[in-house]
Amino acid sequence: MPDRVTSQLDPFSPEFRADPYAAYEELRGLGKVVYLEKHDIWCVHHYDTCQQVLTDYETFSNAGGGGIKNYFKEKPWRKPSIILEVDPPEHTRTRTVLSRALSPRVLRQIRDRFEVDAARMVAEAGAKGEIEGVSELTRPYPLKVFPDSVGLADADRDNLLIYGTMVFGAFGPTVPWYEEYMETHKDVPEWIIARCQRDALAEGGIGQMIYAAADEGKITEEEAMMLVRTFLSAGVDTTVDSIGLCLRALAEHPDQYAKLREDPSLARNAFEEATRYDSSSQSIFRTTLTECEVAGQKIGANEKVMCFLGSASRDGAHFEDPDAFDITRKIKGQIGYGVGIHGCVGQMFARLEAECFFQAFAQQIESVEVTGPTELRMHPGLRGLTKLPLKLTPKAA
Ligand code: OVM
């Protein structure tokens, strides 16, 4: 008997990325734990095993890095994140600060501005009729409302997208385009760090709330800067991609869009379903600290384990009719944001951003159609669209 199930599937290849859901089905059929020979990594891809790995932080560490690189063996490309790429007890303090800065009270105050910006941007897109949905709608919206909330100045915000590509590109294996990209945009990391400084952040924004935690002695000034960097790293591309994929899912399922249009209060649940059905965060890595066992498979110490959230979300053992996009589905145990102590700290922010967007969209737009081929972005850490040609028909006034 072989001591493990292996596969030649390459999750970073264009074929896999074009239709990950077929590959996930294959992986789920192969077994609970599979060794991916192309990259010398293990993977889990069922709901229960993803849950197990992600909630056992004593075995499956984040200090080895959130991507494929093993920080216990290789040098990280930048100073590791002080929330994503650390374990307890260090993690607990920084996580608490970020959770407070994203509390329900803070979000309630932000909601009005999200609604106003969403309504305006959807109206402008609707008036054009034919649009390239990513560059004209699903990218500009998060790129405005998120940095506004953090308290970032207006200038050069496109650098946030460049930095996002750097951050999420680093989740995958090193490839030539990435090295070139890093070289071309080598000034951007410095720009980001400058934007993370206390005096660069507007009064009343979430960035200043992080610095207030430093004033209270909960974190150091340097840690505050690093937590603002986390916002600027993880807060833009993730929502750009998830909102774009949700809009495509709605456009490709006119029966579902009709339900949303008739009842815009379904907006939040529609996005919840899209986060399960087809979302930006398809995978995240852990690194084993000790020898361990998952579903009967022994895994050695210091090994990378890739957790396919996108596959866990399509696991029929947890979700009924998992391949159906149903915006009225009652989702129990959303895993699209990860779970456990590293589950997305900004998830309520993302939900609010998307809720306001799809509510405005449903209120104003009678029908939405995909009019040409859509294109996927190529960097490995996230799934998202770079092209989404759409025809929007506004409701009659
Ligand atoms: C961070 C960070 C960056 C990318 C992703 C992420 C999924 C966190 O800088 O803390 O969480």
Side-chain angles (χ1 to χ4, degrees):
M1 259 254 305
D3 62 353
R4 63 190 185 193
V5 177
T6 62
S7 166
Q8 294 302 317
L9 281 171
D10 174 3
F12 302 102
S13 68
E15 308 80 65
F16 188 111
R17 290 170 60 77
D19 184 8
Y21 301 106
Y24 295 155
E25 206 179 325
E26 185 179 334
L27 285 171
R28 290 195 304 269
L30 281 173
K32 287 250 158 166
V33 180
V34 174
Y35 191 73
L36 298 176
E37 294 207 307
K38 289 244 162 78
H39 297 287
D40 288 325
I41 55 176
W42 297 90
C43 69
V44 290
H45 31 268
H46 291 84
Y47 189 92
D48 58 353
T49 45
C50 281
Q51 180 91 25
Q52 180 192 335
V53 168
L54 294 176
T55 51
D56 181 3
Y57 60 82
E58 289 175 328
T59 309
F60 302 97
S61 167
N62 273 45
I68 195 170
K69 294 233 166 64
N70 185 343
Y71 291 178
F72 300 141
K73 297 178 181 169
E74 289 173 81
K75 194 177 164 310
W77 72 283
R78 60 171 190 169
K79 254 178 94 173
S81 162
I82 63 169
I83 179 162
L84 176 69
E85 293 165 333
V86 289
D87 296 326
E90 292 84 353
H91 169 264
T92 316
R93 199 165 43 95
T94 50
R95 171 85 185 196
T96 304
V97 170
L98 274 204
S99 308
R100 293 224 173 110
L102 295 163
S103 70
R105 187 181 54 80
V106 175
L107 295 188
R108 268 197 302 279
Q109 293 167 353
I110 290 176
R111 182 181 196 111
D112 288 352
R113 274 185 286 139
F114 281 9
E115 285 180 343
V116 169
D117 285 328
R120 189 190 70 251
M121 289 181 165
V122 168
E124 282 166 13
K128 288 186 202 163
E130 303 254 355
I131 60 165
E132 195 291 284
V134 176
S135 58
E136 295 183 78
L137 188 57
T138 61
R139 190 187 283 149
Y141 169 68
L143 193 54
K144 164 137 187 70
V145 300
F146 182 80
D148 279 1
S149 312
V150 174
L152 216 69
D154 277 328
D156 303 321
R157 284 182 177 184
D158 282 351
N159 282 340
L160 294 169
L161 298 169
I162 296 172
Y163 194 63
T165 295
M166 292 178 165
V167 168
F168 289 99
F171 276 66
T174 309
V175 287
W177 74 260
Y178 184 73
E179 313 253 276
E180 261 167 55
Y181 194 90
M182 295 296 279
E183 179 56 30
T184 308
H185 301 289
K186 61 177 183 302
D187 298 337
V188 170
E190 277 162 49
W191 182 90
I192 291 286
I193 297 304
R195 301 272 75 70
C196 293
Q197 306 303 315
R198 188 192 278 265
D199 61 5
L201 296 159
E203 215 52 62
I206 297 177
Q208 283 294 345
M209 294 178 54
I210 307 287
Y211 277 96
D215 294 335
E216 292 165 27
K218 298 203 166 77
I219 49 172
T220 67
E221 190 88 2
E222 165 79 6
E223 286 172 329
M225 184 281 285
M226 286 293 284
L227 288 178
V228 177
R229 194 192 74 170
T230 281
F231 272 129
L232 303 189
S233 302
V236 183
D237 286 44
T238 46
T239 47
V240 167
D241 289 344
S242 286
I243 290 173
L245 289 168
C246 181
L247 182 55
R248 181 174 73 168
L250 288 166
E252 287 179 342
H253 297 82
D255 59 320
Q256 297 301 309
Y257 186 65
K259 285 186 196 173
L260 178 60
R261 183 189 59 219
E262 297 315 314
D263 180 5
S265 76
L266 285 170
R268 195 174 175 95
N269 204 65
F271 186 67
E272 200 63 22
E273 170 68 341
T275 300
R276 183 199 69 80
Y277 174 78
D278 191 21
S279 180
S280 60
S281 303
Q282 294 287 311
S283 59
I284 187 88
F285 286 83
R286 295 291 187 264
T287 314
T288 57
L289 291 177
T290 54
E291 189 182 286
C292 57
E293 210 175 290
V294 178
Q297 173 66 57
K298 274 209 168 49
I299 300 178
N302 210 0
E303 302 268 333
K304 295 300 293 201
V305 181
M306 188 171 193
C307 303
F308 285 110
L309 304 174
S311 178
S313 293
R314 297 284 192 113
D315 183 350
H318 188 85
F319 295 106
E320 209 181 306
D321 199 4
D323 296 326
F325 178 62
D326 171 6
I327 69 163
T328 63
R329 184 191 292 271
K330 307 257 173 304
I331 294 180
K332 282 201 206 76
Q334 174 71 268
I335 200 166
Y337 293 102
V339 288
I341 61 165
H342 290 284
C344 176
V345 72
Q347 60 185 280
M348 298 310 272
F349 201 101
R351 286 187 175 106
L352 179 64
E353 218 174 291
E355 178 187 358
C356 294
F357 178 84
F358 287 106
Q359 193 173 303
F361 196 93
Q363 281 165 351
Q364 296 186 41
I365 305 296
E366 178 67 27
S367 70
V368 49
E369 245 177 275
V370 180
T371 55
T374 61
E375 258 173 42
L376 284 168
R377 68 149 84 242
M378 61 176 173
H379 71 59
L382 291 177
R383 175 174 172 78
L385 299 171
T386 48
K387 284 225 159 48
L388 178 60
L390 293 176
K391 180 169 191 292
L392 308 180
T393 309
K395 289 184 180 173

